[in-house]
Amino acid sequence: MTTRRERANAIRALAMDGVEAANSGHPGMPMGMADIAEVLWGDFLHHNPTNPHWPNRDRFVLSNGHGSMLQYALLHLTGYDLPIGELKRFRQLGSKTAGHPEFHHTPGIETTTGPLGQGLANAVGFAIAEEVLAARFNRPGHDIVDHHTFVFVGDGCLMEGISHEVSSLAGTLKLGKLVAIYDDNGISIDGEVHDWFTDNTAERFRAYGWNVVVGDDDKPVDGHDADAIKKAITAATSQSEKPSLIICKTIIGFGSPNKEGKESSHGAALGKEEVALARKQLGWEYGPFEIPQAMYDSWSAKKSGAEAEKAWNDKFDAYAKAFPELASELKRRLSGELPANWKEGAAAFIKKMQTEGPVVASRKASQMSLDAYGPLLTELIGGSADLAPSNLTIWKGSKNIATGGAEGNYIHYGVREFGMTAISNGIALHGGFIPYDATFLVFSDYARNAVRMSCLIPAHTIHVYTHDSIGLGEDGPTHQPIEHLGSLRLIPNNRVWRPADAVESAVSWKVAIERAGNPSCLIFSRQNLKHNPRTDEQVANIEKGGYVLWEPAEKFKAIIIATGSEVGIAVEAAQSLGDQGVPVRVVSMPCTEEFDAQPVEYREGVLPSWCRARVAVEAASVDFWFKYVGLDGKVIGMTTFGASAKIDDLYEHFGITTPKIVDAVKSVIK
């Protein structure tokens, strides 16, 4: 019979061996947290290795993702489809054991982690999703949604500002099924943290409204004492009124005679000699990547996991008999399938917008889209970073999750752009929701790394950014985004939509909702935008990201490409040029990435290569657009920061006007 320490040592051995084989990685944290992981995964975590997507599993997040070998060892030992050969290929091209945990890449990984603190934020998102789903679907005697979220965090995670944003919100929302376990080892890359991190972490989290679990005499739990760890996790999970932080004192690199407790064990292989000495000190008598069958038998969670899932399936069957409609709706939402009436409802609203042609700001058009789509989508959940009256992200059916009970679908995030976005990623990954978040476009900078992560993971999140240009007006250059559109467009797998009117706004929301498993950024104006007449074919082509909006009666001599609020003045310029005998085509390009993904035949039909006389117009940085206009073309836009003034004065001052476009078009025609 294997002991707890022997089980933990199996983790330590695999972590040492994986990092040693790669000559790269972080052995210290896995060795330090092995005892905690052994207790959590052995005694508490409900999961099924043969079905990593069992809906009611507990979620485990490794926020300190550099210690990925800890998670890979756990997944391997408990029986996930992660054979020992993959651990031997740690950090190698094509392996399932990347340097940091990656969602969709390795079975059992709930989210991609590595940028410190974001795993904690994702975990808050998981916990919000669990709580809101439970409020919506559970009934007396039928707790069909009932699971915990456990997250490991280190000193680095808690130093990051995002940890404050999301922990403060988690405490306010009383997320009682969230348990964070803090690896208080006092070491970061630079050394002992006492020179730069002396926070009273326990009091900090108590101030947030968390249940802080410590050991005797208010000291941290001994992270190498299995009984103390078990007692602490029991205390955290036996209450549901507050999120819990368990503070555990550990020794980084535990078991390494010369490197434990030192930064030298943090981010580099221990070395063959030190590994041999560690094996001796730990009493681990097996060779590299050698795990005895008795150890595998002790660790395997396949039987217990299958039993737990079967018990839940039986509960769900009883639930389905008692509440068939609720059960069907929950299954649909968890599968990611949109409602049967979705396509018809969305198409009807888009047609309505084209017929009625409202002249409104696209932020208002966005709210109108939410009013239309929200009743069709019970899975839609959103929120804003304290800008709801400006972002217009509250729709007629919005209910605060803190007070709305079963109808809760709106999150007041407060001024927490980064935290909000990373939480949205967690909500999306949990399943059962399509989350959206919102702020001013200029403040997407605060959220950028979480936006990048939503694209990398990827997660089906919708990022709403309003006040999209110098058109914001009097608030001035601090609030006027210049480089942000180009910056967001550069993120792989992103879709950035900047619609020109209410119709394009409705389409952008529709496409973002339908982009299963992937994110979108929706960019909306503060100022009113003109309605554009369109044929049915043109309306259908909006989804392709770029399409011909204005076509002269005779063969065009130049092309104007525009987005958002500048489409209107582009059409005015084309009309003026037509009156002067210069026929010009206008292309509206609300989403360049979607346009670039179209077949070459379509793209050539919109932007034919024979026409090199091209002018792009966008009230943002000009540099991005040269990929479409080439060296022969011109771009009307911004090369400086904005200024504080009325909207019309700003457009005139910066030369984003119909006469300037007319002059630019004439200059490129040869």
Side-chain angles (χ1 to χ4, degrees), residues 647-664:
I647 294 172
D648 291 345
D649 292 342
L650 288 168
Y651 272 78
E652 183 69 31
H653 176 75
F654 290 107
I656 307 173
T657 62
T658 295
K660 293 291 186 181
I661 299 171
V662 169
D663 291 344

Side-chain angles (χ1 to χ4, degrees), residues 57-354:
R57 67 192 181 279
D58 290 334
R59 271 61 170 181
F60 174 78
V61 178
L62 191 73
S63 188
N64 41 353
H66 54 269
S68 57
M69 271 304 305
L70 172 75
Q71 193 161 13
Y72 298 144
L74 288 164
L75 293 171
H76 171 72
L77 290 168
T78 55
Y80 285 79
D81 184 17
L82 191 66
I84 196 69
E86 294 294 335
L87 275 66
K88 292 178 179 179
R89 297 175 63 231
F90 179 52
R91 288 185 164 224
Q92 305 308 300
L93 184 64
S95 76
K96 292 183 179 181
T97 49
H100 292 81
E102 294 185 22
F103 182 69
H104 282 319
H105 192 66
T106 309
I109 301 294
E110 299 286 0
T111 181
T112 301
T113 59
L116 293 177
Q118 286 199 60
L120 174 59
N122 295 163
V124 173
F126 284 127
I128 289 173
E130 192 275 343
E131 182 166 286
V132 177
L133 266 186
R136 173 69 177 88
F137 289 99
N138 287 353
R139 293 295 183 268
H142 296 275
D143 291 333
I144 206 67
V145 179
D146 183 15
H147 51 267
H148 282 82
T149 299
F150 297 96
V151 53
F152 282 4
V153 300
D155 292 304
C157 293
L158 297 190
M159 284 186 244
E160 290 283 1
I162 192 173
S163 72
H164 163 71
E165 293 184 24
V166 304
S167 299
S168 170
L169 183 62
T172 299
L173 295 177
K174 303 183 186 312
L175 301 176
K177 292 196 178 162
L178 172 64
V179 178
I181 301 178
Y182 169 34
D183 180 30
D184 181 14
N185 62 30
I187 296 290
S188 68
I189 292 176
D190 282 0
E192 297 181 12
V193 303
H194 54 68
D195 287 338
W196 52 87
F197 185 53
T198 59
D199 299 14
N200 187 326
T201 300
E203 288 305 308
R204 172 186 164 190
F205 276 79
R206 288 185 182 118
Y208 292 147
W210 285 54
N211 170 45
V212 176
V213 181
V214 293
D216 297 334
D217 301 322
D218 207 33
K219 294 180 179 178
V221 176
D222 184 346
H224 304 294
D225 182 337
D227 291 337
I229 298 165
K230 185 172 182 177
K231 181 181 177 183
I233 300 176
T234 300
T237 55
S238 61
Q239 62 85 47
S240 59
E241 299 302 311
K242 299 178 178 180
S244 292
L245 178 73
I246 302 172
I247 302 177
C248 291
K249 179 61 71 175
T250 66
I251 300 170
I252 192 171
F254 182 94
S256 173
N258 299 300
K259 294 187 177 183
E260 69 174 16
K262 300 177 181 178
E263 63 269 22
S264 57
S265 70
H266 174 88
L270 299 178
K272 290 183 179 179
E273 292 183 5
E274 187 66 15
V275 169
L277 291 172
R279 274 182 151 77
K280 185 177 180 180
Q281 181 158 307
L282 293 169
W284 188 259
E285 300 175 349
Y286 309 100
F289 298 104
E290 182 184 352
I291 303 293
Q293 187 58 49
M295 183 62 68
Y296 279 125
D297 293 341
S298 172
W299 263 108
S300 178
K302 288 184 177 181
K303 183 173 183 292
S304 61
E307 290 172 349
E309 182 174 356
K310 183 181 182 304
W312 182 81
N313 286 336
D314 291 341
K315 286 181 65 175
F316 190 87
D317 289 343
Y319 174 74
K321 288 180 181 177
F323 307 99
E325 292 183 1
L326 282 174
S328 177
E329 176 71 357
L330 179 58
K331 287 176 70 174
R332 180 193 67 77
R333 285 177 53 167
L334 291 174
S335 73
E337 180 184 347
L338 293 173
N341 63 343
W342 162 249
K343 284 197 176 293
E344 181 182 354
F349 176 68
I350 293 167
K351 185 177 181 178
K352 181 174 185 284
M353 289 295 96
Q354 186 60 48

Side-chain angles (χ1 to χ4, degrees), residues 424-478:
S424 285
N425 291 340
I427 293 173
L429 292 172
H430 179 278
F433 294 97
I434 300 174
Y436 65 90
D437 51 73
T439 186
F440 287 178
L441 177 57
V442 75
F443 300 134
S444 66
D445 279 346
Y446 282 136
R448 182 178 171 83
N449 198 264
V451 176
R452 181 179 187 267
M453 291 301 293
S454 66
C455 299
L456 193 157
I457 290 169
H460 189 188
T461 51
I462 302 172
H463 309 300
V464 178
Y465 300 127
T466 68
H467 298 63
D468 67 349
S469 68
I470 58 171
L472 180 141
E474 290 89 341
D475 276 345
T478 62

